[in-house]
Coordinates of all heavy atoms in Angstrom, one line a residue:
P1463 N 68.2 -141.0 -47.2 CA 67.6 -139.7 -47.0 C 66.7 -139.7 -45.7 O 66.2 -140.8 -45.3 CB 66.7 -139.4 -48.2 CG 67.2 -140.3 -49.2 CD 67.8 -141.5 -48.5
P1464 N 66.6 -138.6 -45.0 CA 65.7 -138.6 -43.8 C 64.3 -138.8 -44.2 O 63.9 -138.7 -45.3 CB 66.0 -137.2 -43.2 CG 66.4 -136.3 -44.4 CD 67.2 -137.3 -45.3
F1465 N 63.5 -139.1 -43.2 CA 62.1 -139.5 -43.4 C 61.3 -138.4 -44.1 O 60.5 -138.6 -45.0 CB 61.4 -139.8 -42.1 CG 59.9 -140.1 -42.2 CD1 59.5 -141.3 -42.7 CD2 59.0 -139.1 -41.8 CE1 58.1 -141.6 -42.9 CE2 57.6 -139.4 -42.0 CZ 57.2 -140.6 -42.5
S1466 N 61.6 -137.1 -43.8 CA 60.9 -136.0 -44.4 C 61.1 -136.0 -45.9 O 60.2 -135.5 -46.7 CB 61.4 -134.7 -43.8 OG 62.8 -134.5 -44.0
I1467 N 62.3 -136.4 -46.4 CA 62.5 -136.5 -47.8 C 62.0 -137.8 -48.4 O 61.5 -137.8 -49.5 CB 64.1 -136.3 -48.1 CG1 64.5 -134.9 -47.7 CG2 64.4 -136.6 -49.6 CD1 66.0 -134.7 -47.9
E1468 N 62.1 -138.9 -47.7 CA 61.5 -140.1 -48.1 C 60.0 -140.0 -48.4 O 59.5 -140.7 -49.3 CB 61.7 -141.2 -47.1 CG 63.1 -141.9 -47.1 CD 63.1 -143.2 -46.4 OE1 62.2 -143.5 -45.6 OE2 64.1 -143.9 -46.5
T1469 N 59.3 -139.2 -47.7 CA 57.9 -139.0 -48.0 C 57.6 -138.4 -49.4 O 56.5 -138.6 -49.9 CB 57.2 -138.1 -46.9 OG1 57.7 -136.8 -47.0 CG2 57.3 -138.7 -45.5
I1470 N 58.6 -137.8 -49.9 CA 58.5 -137.2 -51.2 C 59.0 -138.1 -52.3 O 58.3 -138.2 -53.4 CB 59.3 -135.8 -51.3 CG1 58.7 -134.8 -50.3 CG2 59.3 -135.2 -52.7 CD1 59.5 -133.6 -50.1
V1471 N 60.1 -138.8 -52.1 CA 60.7 -139.6 -53.2 C 60.7 -141.1 -53.0 O 61.2 -141.8 -53.8 CB 62.2 -139.1 -53.4 CG1 62.3 -137.7 -53.8 CG2 63.1 -139.4 -52.1
G1472 N 60.1 -141.5 -51.8 CA 60.0 -142.9 -51.6 C 61.3 -143.5 -51.0 O 62.2 -142.8 -50.7
D1473 N 61.3 -144.8 -51.0 CA 62.5 -145.6 -50.4 C 63.6 -145.7 -51.5 O 63.7 -146.7 -52.2 CB 62.0 -146.9 -50.0 CG 63.1 -147.7 -49.3 OD1 64.1 -147.1 -48.9 OD2 63.0 -149.0 -49.2
R1474 N 64.4 -144.7 -51.5 CA 65.5 -144.7 -52.5 C 66.7 -143.9 -51.9 O 66.5 -143.0 -51.1 CB 65.1 -144.2 -53.9 CG 64.7 -142.8 -53.9 CD 64.1 -142.5 -55.3 NE 62.8 -143.1 -55.4 CZ 62.4 -143.7 -56.5 NH1 63.2 -143.8 -57.5 NH2 61.2 -144.3 -56.6
S1475 N 67.9 -144.1 -52.4 CA 69.0 -143.3 -52.0 C 69.0 -142.0 -52.7 O 68.3 -141.7 -53.7 CB 70.3 -144.1 -52.4 OG 70.4 -144.2 -53.8
F1476 N 69.9 -141.1 -52.3 CA 70.0 -139.7 -52.9 C 70.3 -139.9 -54.4 O 69.8 -139.2 -55.3 CB 71.0 -138.9 -52.2 CG 70.5 -138.3 -50.9 CD1 71.0 -138.8 -49.7 CD2 69.7 -137.2 -50.9 CE1 70.6 -138.2 -48.5 CE2 69.2 -136.6 -49.8 CZ 69.7 -137.1 -48.5
G1477 N 71.2 -140.8 -54.7 CA 71.7 -141.0 -56.0 C 70.6 -141.4 -57.0 O 70.8 -141.1 -58.2
H1478 N 69.6 -142.0 -56.5 CA 68.5 -142.5 -57.4 C 67.3 -141.6 -57.4 O 66.3 -141.9 -58.0 CB 68.1 -143.9 -57.0 CG 69.1 -145.0 -57.4 ND1 70.3 -145.1 -56.7 CD2 69.2 -145.8 -58.4 CE1 71.0 -146.1 -57.3 NE2 70.3 -146.5 -58.3
I1479 N 67.4 -140.4 -56.9 CA 66.4 -139.4 -57.0 C 66.5 -138.8 -58.4 O 67.6 -138.5 -58.9 CB 66.5 -138.3 -55.9 CG1 66.3 -138.9 -54.5 CG2 65.6 -137.2 -56.1 CD1 66.6 -138.0 -53.4
I1480 N 65.3 -138.5 -59.0 CA 65.3 -138.0 -60.4 C 65.1 -136.5 -60.4 O 64.2 -136.0 -59.7 CB 64.1 -138.7 -61.2 CG1 64.4 -140.2 -61.3 CG2 64.0 -138.1 -62.6 CD1 63.2 -141.0 -61.6
H1481 N 65.9 -135.8 -61.1 CA 65.8 -134.4 -61.3 C 66.0 -134.1 -62.8 O 67.0 -134.4 -63.4 CB 66.9 -133.7 -60.5 CG 66.9 -132.2 -60.6 ND1 67.9 -131.5 -61.3 CD2 66.0 -131.3 -60.2 CE1 67.6 -130.2 -61.2 NE2 66.4 -130.0 -60.6
K1482 N 64.9 -133.4 -63.3 CA 64.9 -133.1 -64.7 C 65.3 -134.3 -65.6 O 66.2 -134.2 -66.4 CB 65.9 -131.9 -65.0 CG 65.4 -130.6 -64.4 CD 66.3 -129.4 -64.8 CE 65.7 -128.1 -64.2 NZ 66.5 -126.9 -64.6
R1483 N 64.5 -135.4 -65.4 CA 64.6 -136.6 -66.2 C 65.8 -137.5 -66.0 O 65.9 -138.5 -66.6 CB 64.5 -136.2 -67.7 CG 63.4 -135.3 -68.1 CD 63.3 -135.1 -69.6 NE 62.3 -134.1 -69.9 CZ 62.6 -132.8 -69.9 NH1 63.8 -132.3 -69.8 NH2 61.6 -131.9 -70.2
T1484 N 66.7 -137.1 -65.1 CA 67.9 -137.9 -64.9 C 68.2 -138.1 -63.4 O 68.0 -137.2 -62.6 CB 69.1 -137.1 -65.5 OG1 68.8 -136.7 -66.8 CG2 70.4 -138.0 -65.5
K1485 N 68.6 -139.4 -63.1 CA 69.0 -139.6 -61.7 C 70.2 -138.8 -61.3 O 71.1 -138.5 -62.1 CB 69.4 -141.1 -61.6 CG 68.2 -142.1 -61.7 CD 68.6 -143.5 -61.5 CE 67.4 -144.4 -61.7 NZ 67.8 -145.9 -61.6
L1486 N 70.2 -138.4 -60.1 CA 71.3 -137.5 -59.6 C 72.7 -138.2 -59.8 O 73.7 -137.5 -60.2 CB 71.1 -137.1 -58.1 CG 69.9 -136.3 -57.8 CD1 69.8 -136.0 -56.4 CD2 70.0 -134.9 -58.6
R1487 N 72.8 -139.5 -59.6 CA 74.1 -140.2 -59.8 C 74.5 -140.1 -61.2 O 75.7 -139.9 -61.5 CB 74.0 -141.6 -59.3 CG 73.0 -142.5 -60.2 CD 72.8 -143.9 -59.6 NE 73.9 -144.7 -59.8 CZ 74.1 -145.4 -61.0 NH1 73.3 -145.3 -62.0 NH2 75.2 -146.2 -61.1
D1488 N 73.6 -140.2 -62.2 CA 73.9 -140.2 -63.6 C 74.3 -138.8 -64.0 O 75.2 -138.6 -64.9 CB 72.8 -140.7 -64.4 CG 72.4 -142.2 -64.1 OD1 73.4 -142.9 -63.7 OD2 71.3 -142.6 -64.3
K1489 N 73.7 -137.8 -63.4 CA 74.1 -136.4 -63.8 C 75.5 -136.2 -63.4 O 76.3 -135.6 -64.2 CB 73.2 -135.4 -63.0 CG 71.8 -135.2 -63.6 CD 71.2 -134.0 -63.0 CE 70.0 -133.6 -63.8 NZ 69.4 -132.3 -63.5
L1490 N 75.9 -136.6 -62.2 CA 77.3 -136.4 -61.7 C 78.3 -137.2 -62.6 O 79.3 -136.7 -62.9 CB 77.4 -136.8 -60.3 CG 78.8 -136.5 -59.6 CD1 79.1 -135.1 -59.7 CD2 78.8 -137.0 -58.2
R1491 N 77.9 -138.4 -62.9 CA 78.8 -139.2 -63.8 C 79.0 -138.6 -65.1 O 80.2 -138.6 -65.6 CB 78.2 -140.6 -64.0 CG 78.3 -141.6 -62.9 CD 77.7 -142.9 -63.1 NE 78.1 -143.9 -62.1 CZ 79.1 -144.7 -62.1 NH1 80.0 -144.6 -63.2 NH2 79.4 -145.5 -61.2
L1492 N 78.0 -138.0 -65.7 CA 78.2 -137.3 -67.0 C 79.1 -136.1 -66.8 O 80.0 -135.8 -67.7 CB 76.8 -136.8 -67.5 CG 75.9 -137.8 -68.1 CD1 74.5 -137.2 -68.4 CD2 76.5 -138.4 -69.4
Q1493 N 79.0 -135.4 -65.7 CA 79.8 -134.2 -65.4 C 81.3 -134.7 -65.3 O 82.2 -134.1 -65.8 CB 79.4 -133.5 -64.2 CG 80.2 -132.3 -63.8 CD 80.0 -131.1 -64.7 OE1 79.0 -131.0 -65.4 NE2 81.0 -130.2 -64.7
L1494 N 81.5 -135.8 -64.6 CA 82.9 -136.3 -64.3 C 83.5 -136.7 -65.6 O 84.7 -136.5 -65.9 CB 82.8 -137.4 -63.3 CG 82.4 -137.1 -61.9 CD1 82.2 -138.3 -61.1 CD2 83.5 -136.1 -61.3
K1495 N 82.7 -137.4 -66.5 CA 83.2 -137.8 -67.8 C 83.7 -136.7 -68.7 O 84.6 -136.7 -69.4 CB 82.2 -138.7 -68.5 CG 81.9 -140.0 -67.7 CD 81.8 -141.2 -68.6 CE 81.7 -142.4 -67.7 NZ 81.5 -143.7 -68.4
K1496 N 82.9 -135.6 -68.6 CA 83.3 -134.4 -69.3 C 84.6 -133.8 -68.8 O 85.4 -133.2 -69.6 CB 82.2 -133.3 -69.1 CG 80.9 -133.5 -69.9 CD 80.0 -132.4 -69.6 CE 78.6 -132.6 -70.3 NZ 77.6 -131.6 -70.0
E1497 N 84.9 -134.0 -67.6 CA 86.2 -133.6 -67.0 C 87.3 -134.6 -67.1 O 88.4 -134.4 -66.6 CB 86.0 -133.2 -65.5 CG 84.9 -132.2 -65.2 CD 85.2 -130.9 -65.9 OE1 86.4 -130.6 -66.1 OE2 84.2 -130.2 -66.2
G1498 N 87.0 -135.7 -67.8 CA 88.0 -136.7 -68.1 C 88.3 -137.7 -66.9 O 89.3 -138.4 -66.9
I1499 N 87.4 -137.7 -66.0 CA 87.5 -138.7 -64.8 C 86.8 -140.0 -65.1 O 85.5 -139.9 -65.2 CB 87.0 -138.0 -63.5 CG1 87.8 -136.8 -63.2 CG2 87.0 -139.0 -62.4 CD1 87.4 -136.0 -62.0
E1500 N 87.5 -141.0 -65.3 CA 86.9 -142.3 -65.7 C 86.8 -143.3 -64.6 O 86.0 -144.2 -64.6 CB 87.7 -142.9 -66.9 CG 87.8 -142.0 -68.1 CD 86.5 -142.0 -68.9 OE1 85.6 -142.9 -68.7 OE2 86.3 -141.1 -69.7
E1501 N 87.7 -143.2 -63.6 CA 87.7 -144.1 -62.5 C 86.7 -143.7 -61.4 O 87.0 -142.9 -60.5 CB 89.1 -144.2 -61.9 CG 90.2 -144.7 -62.9 CD 90.0 -146.2 -63.2 OE1 89.3 -146.9 -62.4 OE2 90.6 -146.7 -64.1
I1502 N 85.5 -144.2 -61.6 CA 84.4 -143.8 -60.6 C 83.9 -145.1 -59.9 O 83.6 -146.1 -60.5 CB 83.2 -143.2 -61.4 CG1 83.7 -142.0 -62.2 CG2 82.1 -142.8 -60.4 CD1 82.6 -141.5 -63.2
F1503 N 84.0 -145.0 -58.6 CA 83.6 -146.2 -57.8 C 82.4 -145.8 -57.0 O 82.3 -144.7 -56.4 CB 84.7 -146.6 -56.8 CG 86.0 -146.9 -57.5 CD1 86.9 -145.8 -57.9 CD2 86.4 -148.2 -57.8 CE1 88.1 -146.1 -58.5 CE2 87.6 -148.5 -58.5 CZ 88.4 -147.4 -58.8
E1504 N 81.4 -146.7 -57.0 CA 80.1 -146.3 -56.3 C 79.9 -147.2 -55.0 O 80.1 -148.4 -55.1 CB 78.9 -146.5 -57.3 CG 77.6 -146.0 -56.7 CD 76.5 -145.9 -57.7 OE1 76.9 -145.8 -58.9 OE2 75.4 -145.9 -57.3
I1505 N 79.6 -146.6 -53.9 CA 79.4 -147.3 -52.7 C 77.9 -147.2 -52.4 O 77.3 -146.1 -52.3 CB 80.2 -146.6 -51.5 CG1 81.7 -146.8 -51.7 CG2 79.8 -147.2 -50.2 CD1 82.6 -146.1 -50.8
T1506 N 77.3 -148.3 -52.1 CA 75.8 -148.4 -51.8 C 75.6 -148.9 -50.4 O 74.4 -148.9 -50.0 CB 75.1 -149.3 -52.9 OG1 75.7 -150.6 -52.8 CG2 75.2 -148.7 -54.3
H1507 N 76.6 -149.3 -49.7 CA 76.5 -149.8 -48.4 C 77.7 -149.5 -47.6 O 78.8 -149.6 -48.1 CB 76.2 -151.3 -48.3 CG 75.8 -151.8 -47.0 ND1 76.7 -152.1 -46.0 CD2 74.5 -152.1 -46.5 CE1 76.0 -152.5 -44.9 NE2 74.7 -152.5 -45.2
P1508 N 77.6 -149.0 -46.3 CA 78.8 -148.6 -45.6 C 79.9 -149.6 -45.5 O 81.1 -149.2 -45.5 CB 78.2 -148.3 -44.1 CG 76.8 -147.9 -44.4 CD 76.4 -148.8 -45.6
Q1509 N 79.6 -150.9 -45.5 CA 80.7 -151.9 -45.4 C 81.6 -151.9 -46.6 O 82.7 -152.4 -46.5 CB 80.1 -153.3 -45.1 CG 79.4 -153.9 -46.3 CD 78.7 -155.2 -46.0 OE1 78.3 -155.5 -44.9 NE2 78.7 -156.1 -47.0

């Protein structure tokens, strides 16, 4: 996240920001599982 957002949520990626008790990444995973998508790959570094 840009610095302006880091000042609010600290040093973390977008996926680890918490919204309504759940990390954003986990919210999306739950939505995908409801749609029957099981093959989910997570990238945490560009390489």
Side-chain angles (χ1 to χ4, degrees):
F1465 177 74
S1466 56
I1467 293 177
E1468 277 195 350
T1469 62
I1470 298 171
V1471 299
D1473 182 19
R1474 66 190 68 226
S1475 65
F1476 282 106
H1478 286 77
I1479 295 172
I1480 298 161
H1481 178 247
K1482 292 186 176 179
R1483 308 181 187 93
T1484 308
K1485 290 180 181 177
L1486 294 178
R1487 65 187 285 275
D1488 296 333
K1489 281 194 169 190
L1490 184 59
R1491 281 180 172 271
L1492 285 172
Q1493 179 72 23
L1494 293 172
K1495 296 218 170 178
K1496 285 180 185 176
E1497 303 300 331
I1499 297 177
E1500 300 289 340
E1501 297 291 345
I1502 304 170
F1503 304 84
E1504 188 166 340
I1505 293 172
T1506 57
H1507 192 277
Q1509 71 183 30

